[in-house]
């Protein structure tokens, strides 16, 4: 961990629980205020122990002893957002069973147990939250390596996902990473995946129902292992950046031209 200083430098800090217990094989990190105290906390997805740790922050760069939540299967990607509109940070974690665990924060902080799970197709690789349907509820999108698709899972605004997920939209091969933004400025969030085998990115626009439109292939280098969205040229439109793991390695920027 690198702690930011006022002079724009960073100091290295370690979390003893994580530094010592590497047998848990942590796979993913997410941050949020999970105990409703105004301080940033960490969520750690642990593959070997099939659980998610919550380390509540003390506000000084150190953390309290972890609280473990069982996920029933090795967890992977996570996403943070307010799933039920109460102003508190909630958490979604995908796991190797093809389900997602949903952690809805209690009014007193932290999460109830057991955490409910919902289907999201096999081989989930990445998860993002966004407003993919016209209502005000936060929804989930999950990319799947084994099925080579992205699935939209609509939220009900109460932290639940009662509607069976759609069959999904096909992407390029092995969509390991995913980012979200409103790329076509229609008021709905869209997604882009980085496809490590097909050496491209797939852009999927929300169609206003419980589906994404057909994927558009974008050239984004060789074996894009990570994608992010952001306005990189200051024109008010979300662009795409991909990090490429294979030769020629580098970062590719795709500027949005949907003026």
């Amino acid at each position: 961990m690198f702690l930011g200083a006022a002079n724009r430098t960073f100091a290295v800090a370690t979390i003893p629980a994580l530094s010592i217990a590497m047998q848990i094989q942590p796979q993913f990190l997410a941050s949020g205020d999970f105990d409703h105290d105004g301080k940033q906390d960490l969520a750690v997805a642990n593959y070997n122990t099939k659980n998610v740790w919550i380390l509540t922050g003390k506000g000084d760069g150190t953390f309290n002893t972890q609280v473990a939540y069982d996920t029933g299967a090795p967890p992977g990607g996570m996403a943070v957002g307010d799933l039920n509109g109460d102003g508190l940070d909630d958490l979604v974690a995908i796991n190797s069973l093809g389900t997602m665990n949903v952690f809805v924060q209690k009014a007193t902080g932290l999460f109830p147990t057991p955490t409910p799970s919902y289907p999201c197709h096999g081989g989930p690789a990445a998860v993002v939250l966004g407003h993919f349907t016209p209502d005000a509820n936060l929804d989930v999108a999950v990319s799947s390596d084994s099925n080579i698709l992205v699935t939209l899972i609509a939220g009900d605004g109460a932290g639940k996902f009662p509607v069976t997920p759609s069959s999904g939209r096909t992407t390029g091969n092995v969509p390991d990473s995913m980012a979200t933004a409103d790329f076509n400025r229609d008021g709905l969030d869209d997604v882009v995946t980085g496809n490590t085998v097909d050496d491209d990115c797939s852009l999927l626009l929300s169609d206003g129902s419980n589906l994404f439109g057909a994927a558009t292939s974008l050239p984004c280098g060789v074996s894009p292992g990570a994608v992010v969205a952001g306005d990189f040229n200051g024109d008010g439109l979300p662009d795409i950046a991909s990090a490429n793991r294979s030769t020629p390695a580098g970062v590719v920027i795709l500027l949005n031209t949907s003026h």
Side-chain angles (χ1 to χ4, degrees), residues 133-173:
T133 57
D135 59 32
N137 304 333
L138 204 57
D139 310 306
V140 175
V142 178
S143 67
S144 169
D145 276 357
S146 59
N147 292 314
I148 313 176
L149 52 77
V150 168
T151 301
L152 192 161
I153 308 166
D156 68 353
K160 299 178 181 178
F161 298 85
V163 179
T164 301
S166 66
S167 58
R169 290 292 191 189
T170 301
T171 65
N173 203 0

Side-chain angles (χ1 to χ4, degrees), residues 15-221:
I15 301 174
L18 293 184
S19 300
I20 295 170
M22 291 308 292
Q23 68 271 16
I24 63 177
Q25 196 175 343
Q27 293 287 294
F28 200 90
L29 288 171
S31 64
D33 181 4
F34 301 124
D35 60 351
H36 193 33
D37 67 351
K39 302 169 186 175
Q40 284 294 293
D41 311 310
L42 281 177
V44 186
N46 302 313
Y47 189 90
N48 283 352
T49 49
K50 302 177 184 178
N51 60 19
V52 168
W53 282 3
I54 301 297
L55 295 98
T56 55
K58 298 180 180 180
D60 60 358
T62 64
F63 295 82
N64 295 299
T65 302
Q66 71 272 9
V67 178
Y69 294 88
D70 180 59
T71 55
M78 297 185 291
V80 176
D82 181 6
L83 298 174
N84 60 348
D86 63 357
L88 304 178
D89 286 338
D90 307 312
L91 180 72
V92 173
I94 53 177
N95 64 60
S96 62
L97 283 180
T99 62
M100 62 180 190
N101 300 95
V102 176
F103 302 79
V104 176
Q105 189 176 159
K106 299 182 293 185
T108 54
L110 297 178
F111 308 109
T113 56
T115 56
S117 63
Y118 300 89
C120 64
H121 289 303
V127 58
V128 294
L129 304 181
H131 293 285
F132 304 121
T133 57
D135 59 32
N137 304 333
L138 204 57
D139 310 306
V140 175
V142 178
S143 67
S144 169
D145 276 357
S146 59
N147 292 314
I148 313 176
L149 52 77
V150 168
T151 301
L152 192 161
I153 308 166
D156 68 353
K160 299 178 181 178
F161 298 85
V163 179
T164 301
S166 66
S167 58
R169 290 292 191 189
T170 301
T171 65
N173 203 0
V174 188
D176 271 344
S177 59
M178 185 164 49
T180 182
D182 182 6
F183 292 110
N184 61 348
R185 300 183 301 166
D186 66 351
L188 298 176
D189 290 327
D190 313 302
V191 297
V192 60
T193 64
N195 311 314
T196 57
V197 171
D198 280 355
D199 298 336
D200 70 347
C201 291
S202 295
L203 176 64
L204 298 96
L205 303 178
S206 297
D207 69 1
S209 67
N210 284 346
L211 285 171
F212 291 107
T216 299
S217 175
L218 303 174
C220 57

